[in-house]
Amino acid sequence: MTDPHRIQPSELDQLPDRDPEETAEWQASLDAVAAAAGPHRAAYLMRRTLERAEGAGVALPKLLETDYVNTIPTAAEGSHGFDGDEEMEARITAWNRWNAAAMVTRGSKYGVGGHIATFASAAWLYETGFNHFFQGKERDGSGDQLFIQGHASPGIYARAFLDGRLTEAHLDNFRQESGGNGLPSYPHPRRLPWLWEFPTVSMGLGPLSAIYQARFNRYLTNRGIKDVSASHVWAFLGDGEMDEPESTAALALAAREGLDNLTFVINCNLQRLDGPVRANFKIVQELEAQFRGAGWNVVKTLWGSAWDELFALDTTGALVRRLREVPDAQVQTYQTRDAAYIREDFFGKDPALVEMAKLLSDDKIIECFHFSRGGHESRKVFAAYKAAVSFKGAPTVILAQTVKGHTLGKGFASKNANHQMKKLSDAEFKEMRDLLGLPIPDSAFDGGQVPYGHPGADSPEVRYLQERRAALGGPAPARRVHPVAPLPAPADKAFAAFDKGSGSQAVATTMAFVRLVKDLVRDKETGKRWVPIVPDEARTFGMESLFPSLGIYSPKGQTYEPVDRDQLMYYKEAQNGQILNEGITEAGSMADFIAAATAYSTHGEAMIPFYIFYSMFGWQRTADQMWQLGDQLGRGFLVGATAGRTTLTGEGLQHADGHSPVIAATNPAALTYDPAFAYEVAAIVKDGLRRMYGEAAPGEDPNVFYYLTVYNEPMPQPAKPDVPGIDEGIVKGLYRFRQGQGAEGAPRIQLLASGTAIHWALEAQRLLAEEWGVTADVWSATSWTELRRDALEADAALLRGEERVPYVRQALADAQGPVLAVSDYMRQVPDQIAQWVEQDYTSLGADGFGLSDTREAARRHFGVDAQSVVVAALAQLARRGEVAASAVKDARERYGL
């Protein structure tokens, strides 16, 4: 007889039941368990069956959530081989906790701030790694890559102090860097380049970069550049940080490519900056489902060993059920309330838990709910880390539950405001001292401030710490720039090929750049070190010819026959492919670029990345990562293609870039160029290779990156003029491209133009001469930003009593008449140099929103086409009385403006 309550399969089910009777038996068994032992027991059996199926390789959807308990039970921890001295490591951790809190508290009197509570919660997550897992760089130059959570940096400084790498003077200069001997607030390689390797603030960039770093490690190995298969990437993150979209943007990539050289350690203290991360929900469960769904291995380390007794008493599953249903904010409340409250609110919800609570003392309840978390016990953290590095085929995330502000006292632990609390009182420090068992006498506080603590350079603690690090390959974290010979310069013919121009053939500067790269990647010495990066727009930029010759990197190679296999430029993927074609992700492409741009320090291998993208979708979308690139001292070429506000026909507002050079100008590490001609592109790239990878000149910082804007407007490319000092002018930002020829005494004006705007200026030069009797000189302004920076340096030199004239003023020294500057960007771009130009100065630009239309119509709309340049030039000369005022009106009418 058919059970009316049983769900019957649809006749349209695409998976027909081959044995309905067997299926009915399984269902009946489940019904029997539910009836006899309750639905919770039935759910338990189902979960265990699914886990067994998954472990056996049965093709089933993954179980996205498990119970709110530890993945590795206490009984299994011994099998993970913990070989440390727990008591010794506890003493080391106590010193680090103390000094981290002391450093921030001592600095608070200067108002510089700092964060105490984050490291207090995560101390064991770091200490266990430093003592047992994190490989140093002294073995192979690479070691492990550590992405340290920014707010935990005081604890890392405290450990370096204990290790002898930092002094008390360093600690006292935390967040006070202007004197040159300070410690930066967060991991900033540019500010502390021997210690920090990866900047992880602003939040969200660390996890994204960690994924692409692990992926780039595989890229280096698969391409035969360097075997870094022994390197492991560790990313330490906060549970609140995981709300940043970049934090989870590439989880599927990490799982898809099987990056088992990557571990995320998420410190789940359940608190973000202002309060609970998921007040009414459970962040651990949410993250578990998110990572499992993406294909990651998930290890939960939630409860400390004090909970073992409670789980042993949980014969009905009531405790596990209650832990699953209590929201995070209530768990936080339990951490601050007395045993009576916990008995009533937690245990009192279920009769079975009421009976359990009768067997527990108040001290036991307080121990469990106030202190005992998996992330605070070295053995549990060790077991989780061991499981992570042993797991093969997928990345691992460790969800470690902690208490924010742990050991800092009742005033800190789990308080909503503890992220903003910057100091402890003397009484709170003494309470903390007693809790940690540190030998710091009361008299040490007599100086009016909390003392630092150190057991001595030859103490057992320091010897143990140093011996552990020596066994693991040296200190960590650490950044090393290995002494390597500069890369040899490519053959001049690759660059000189552009000097002769293109004749009558129309060539866009985007295509000129791609052609240059095609030549450079063939170089026998350095060709293999180029890393082309493109976010799924290679065909837009004319790069498809690189597919068959270089190959697109894929860890699986090419497991299919491409649809265009019979064509010359077919789509070729390869395990040793050179191109990183990332799909539609500018953020992922930038993370790729950062990993490649810093390989010279991370792995001692100089790589030359170029990342080509729609200029509108580069700086506007990922400027934060470009700041991260500068902070990490990255080197390479960013190429904003299809550049300009009026040059990309038809695409409209969201594609029309009129401001990327403005954003780029805010980044001190970015050298921003807007070249007009192919030979300028070649000269800039050649100089960039020299500066970043060859022999930098005295005073030149090689730790920079170049941003070039290139256009998709095909134009005949002129030959390189035979002008003295032209290469210097191209690199510095300005040179006279074409001198005007006119009658002696004719009005004269200087037209400065960048990028594709030089073609409007050249046409305006012709119109001014032929129709208005005005002589114009046309200058190519390859970099408004570099001209400005040079001028700022000259101003600073004057304040030091040195005589120095800005290059822009030197270049224009003999130029007669006013200056009119024009570009395909907003006027703010050329206006960067206005205050250093001695002549009358004005500018034209494409201010406002972009629009869809032809190039000609868009330029007329913005008033930057050749005729508009003529009118602006006449207006400037009319104000000086050099042409009749009526000429401006006449020109407007003649050109229909």
Side-chain angles (χ1 to χ4, degrees), residues 834-870:
Q835 74 185 78
W836 292 280
V837 176
E838 294 180 307
Q839 294 89 341
D840 292 340
Y841 187 95
T842 191
S843 62
L844 297 176
D847 287 75
F849 289 109
L851 75 165
S852 299
D853 215 312
T854 64
R855 293 188 181 111
E856 294 76 13
R859 287 163 185 168
R860 177 58 57 91
H861 170 82
F862 285 108
V864 293
D865 61 354
Q867 292 77 14
S868 298
V869 174
V870 169

Side-chain angles (χ1 to χ4, degrees), residues 508-512 514 534-545 547 581 584 612-615 617 640-643 648-649 651 655 710-714 855:
T509 51
T510 296
M511 298 310 301
V514 172
V534 58
D536 201 34
E537 288 279 6
R539 298 182 191 277
T540 301
F541 307 137
M543 291 175 58
E544 64 270 28
S545 62
F547 289 169
N581 192 327
I584 306 174
I612 188 167
F613 50 88
Y614 261 81
S615 66
F617 304 139
T642 59
L648 186 59
T649 56
E651 292 286 2
H655 285 64
V710 293
Y711 298 82
N712 70 328
E713 185 171 17
R855 293 188 181 111

Side-chain angles (χ1 to χ4, degrees), residues 60 105-106 218 237 241 305 334 350 365 447 472 476 482 512 535 589 615 626 732 797 825 894:
L60 284 173
T105 297
R106 286 166 70 121
R218 291 279 173 87
L237 317 167
E241 181 179 8
S305 56
Y334 293 150
D350 188 301
I365 290 174
L472 288 168
H482 307 277
S589 299
S615 66
M626 288 153 177
K732 288 194 170 182
Y825 297 93
R894 178 181 301 186

Side-chain angles (χ1 to χ4, degrees), residues 65 107 261 298 316 353 377 393-394 397 482 488 614 643-644 681 744 768 862:
E65 281 190 38
N261 60 338
V298 178
T316 66
L353 293 181
E377 296 190 10
V397 59
H482 307 277
Y614 261 81
V681 173
E744 186 175 349
L768 284 166
F862 285 108

Side-chain angles (χ1 to χ4, degrees), residues 354-417:
V354 170
E355 294 303 311
M356 178 188 294
K358 292 178 180 178
L359 303 176
L360 303 175
S361 67
D362 285 356
D363 287 345
K364 183 66 174 181
I365 290 174
I366 292 299
E367 180 185 12
C368 287
F369 284 84
H370 284 204
F371 305 111
S372 187
R373 300 291 188 273
H376 294 325
E377 296 190 10
S378 58
R379 280 187 174 269
K380 294 191 180 297
V381 175
F382 181 95
Y385 286 5
K386 190 70 172 181
V389 298
S390 301
F391 191 87
K392 301 303 178 185
T396 294
V397 59
I398 296 169
L399 303 174
Q401 186 165 259
T402 65
V403 174
K404 192 169 185 177
H406 184 59
T407 73
L408 297 181
K410 295 179 180 179
F412 261 86
S414 283
K415 299 296 184 182
N416 280 338

Side-chain angles (χ1 to χ4, degrees), residues 12-194:
L12 301 179
D13 195 330
Q14 292 182 325
L15 297 174
D17 193 342
R18 297 182 179 181
D19 192 341
E21 291 186 9
E22 182 182 38
T23 304
E25 291 175 4
W26 277 75
Q27 292 172 334
S29 297
L30 183 64
D31 291 343
V33 171
H40 298 297
R41 176 62 181 170
Y44 176 85
L45 291 177
M46 285 298 297
R47 285 197 297 274
R48 290 295 178 262
T49 302
L50 285 172
E51 289 172 355
R52 180 61 175 265
E54 182 181 336
V58 177
L60 284 173
K62 287 183 177 292
L63 188 66
L64 294 186
E65 281 190 38
T66 59
D67 286 325
Y68 201 68
V69 296
N70 294 347
T71 302
I72 304 170
T74 301
E77 289 170 7
S79 64
H80 290 275
F82 181 84
D83 61 350
D85 183 333
E86 288 184 83
E87 181 181 350
M88 181 66 70
E89 292 181 22
R91 294 209 300 272
I92 293 171
T93 305
W95 285 115
N96 292 340
R97 289 181 182 278
W98 177 273
N99 287 321
M103 175 176 59
V104 175
T105 297
R106 286 166 70 121
S108 66
K109 66 182 179 180
Y110 302 110
V112 294
H115 301 287
I116 303 177
T118 293
F119 176 73
S121 67
W124 275 113
L125 303 180
Y126 291 107
E127 193 60 37
T128 303
F130 284 129
N131 286 327
H132 301 279
F133 291 93
F134 302 158
Q135 298 294 319
K137 293 180 173 295
E138 293 180 359
R139 288 178 180 167
D140 63 358
S142 294
D144 287 354
Q145 287 80 59
L146 308 181
F147 289 76
I148 304 294
Q149 189 181 3
H151 292 137
S153 58
I156 308 305
Y157 291 141
R159 195 175 202 275
F161 169 64
L162 200 67
D163 192 15
R165 293 201 290 164
L166 293 175
T167 66
E168 285 194 15
H170 286 115
L171 300 191
D172 270 344
N173 282 300
F174 175 58
R175 291 193 168 195
Q176 299 174 71
E177 301 178 77
S178 61
N181 195 34
L183 299 180
S185 53
Y186 304 122
H188 291 308
R190 187 168 286 275
R191 290 297 181 217
L192 201 62
W194 60 269

